[in-house]
Amino acid sequence: MAISVLSLPPDVLARVCSHLWTHNPYTYRGRGSLSMLARTCSEFHEPAISVLWRSLHNIVPLLYTLPSDLCVTEAINGNEESSEFVPSKIWVVMRFVRVPAPGDFHRWYKYAALVRELTHDYSCYEFSKPSVHPEVWEALGQRGPSPLVPQLLTLDSRDFELNKHSLDTVSFFSPTLSTVRLHLSDADRDLAYYLNTLAALSPNVQELHLEHEPCSHRGDIYVSITDHLLKLRNLRELRVICLYIHPSTLALIGSLPCLQTLEVWLSPNDHPTTAEMPIILEGGAMFAELRELEVWVDEFPQAFSLLDCVSSTRLQSLSIRRSPRLEHYSQAPLVTPSLLGSLFTMVASHPSRETFRRLEVAVDPVQPPCDLSETILPLLTLPALAELEIKGWALIVADAATLDAMSRAWPRLEQLNLHDPKPVRAFPEQCAMNLYEAEVAATPWETTLADLVPLALRCPLLKSLGLSVNTWPDLEGTFPEVRFEDSSLVRLYVGYDAEPGEGVAEFLAAVFPRLERVRHGDYDEHRGGLVRPRVESSPGWSYVSDVLAALHLVRKQEWRWAEQRANAAPR
């Protein structure tokens, strides 16, 4: 007997409904289907609306649950209400025309209890879509539910989209909150109030993101987080973005017992350096449980002092980004190979050396060419390293012996990027290649495609590889053929070389059978202050990519046939 879909348990029906929902803040595809499904029959009503209301991009849908004689939508001229409105545009605003009463929120309670995630979508504050009048926020704070959404788990609040009435964001703070992202337009005014209120109303928060908007003004704001942060004892992830941290604040953060992920911005200007920060606090070591550290600095050595304060033996990921303030941009000191060597030596001697999986160094503005063949050797003592990225140099050289040593030291390597094909910032009105054109031309690099064979044979998990490789010499003699199932490489970037030599496509298809495309290029396009790589600018590399794509399909089909024969064989 056939079983009707309506006889399925409610949780299964909810799972079916969830497949209709496309979780994308910039599209509403799927909402229409769920809305129609909720009106189909009573069995589908509850599962459909539970998914439909699970994530909201603003508070407007909840305002539509209020009586029509309380909340109205008005279209006003852009110039009548505020100088910030665009002239000759119509601004759609939701207002209250009377004082709300407790009975007005009957439907609000029903639907607000279904909301688990609330964000503020840019597209929802266009002129053609309703925004919320400041008086509505005031009325909700005085006479509305407290909290406005009782079962909320994730809150992403951009206070500049609330017409700068940022303190109304605390109306969403509830005991159930676990993830909070606050984009602050006035951190000096609001940050202390936010943290104090969050500690009182949402003590179980595990992820906290604090970001200054707009981020381009990051050099102007310093913050000192209050002692109320210590009340968030369950905090596991803290990201403070575009807000410079005072060293005393770092000492406070370091005492959080459960903190595993930290992203901070450091600046030495007008404040003590991190070297003056105490390494051991009363009650225990700093950052004892840290797993992931991302630090933005004006001066590269600042990161050394912070890393020296991390006592965790479980640190797995370290990312250091040097991005100087705009007023100091052209005077930013160079990050020399000796500085990198000091960092690598510190990492190799850290208590977490056995657990390090990822190391990223990104420097801005672009640096001159350098040879890291010797500098990188201390990292070979990290047995678990899986990702290594060094970005921001016009050219990085690593010889064949170093690549061979890497393949032996890091058998679980998944990503090796010593040449970044992504946009790199150069000095104003200058191109990275033009800036260091003579240095790049004078820097010899002997690494050839044949030198990649040890990585292919000993690092079966390697998925992404970016190096400066001399691809012009013809590949002579025999080379090993790697099985399809023993290779993972799908992305290869070979640097500035002009044209591939003979046999390149055949060699790459044999050594890296999953590879479908090779990227190469030089930083010769300058747009908007960013230097963009020209990818696959030569017919030779286009031909290589076409051959690789065709051979990849052949190898993949051969692998499938081999699997089918193995499964069909009698046991």
Side-chain angles (χ1 to χ4, degrees), residues 373 397-407 445-448 450-452 454-455 458:
S373 298
V397 177
D399 58 26
T402 302
L403 294 180
D404 183 76
M406 288 179 180
S407 68
W445 69 91
E446 303 299 330
T447 304
T448 65
D451 297 326
L452 305 183
L455 293 172
R458 302 191 185 107

Side-chain angles (χ1 to χ4, degrees), residues 12-28:
V12 176
L13 294 179
R15 182 73 176 269
V16 172
C17 293
S18 66
H19 287 283
L20 298 176
W21 166 249
T22 301
H23 187 75
N24 187 330
Y26 298 100
T27 179
Y28 292 90

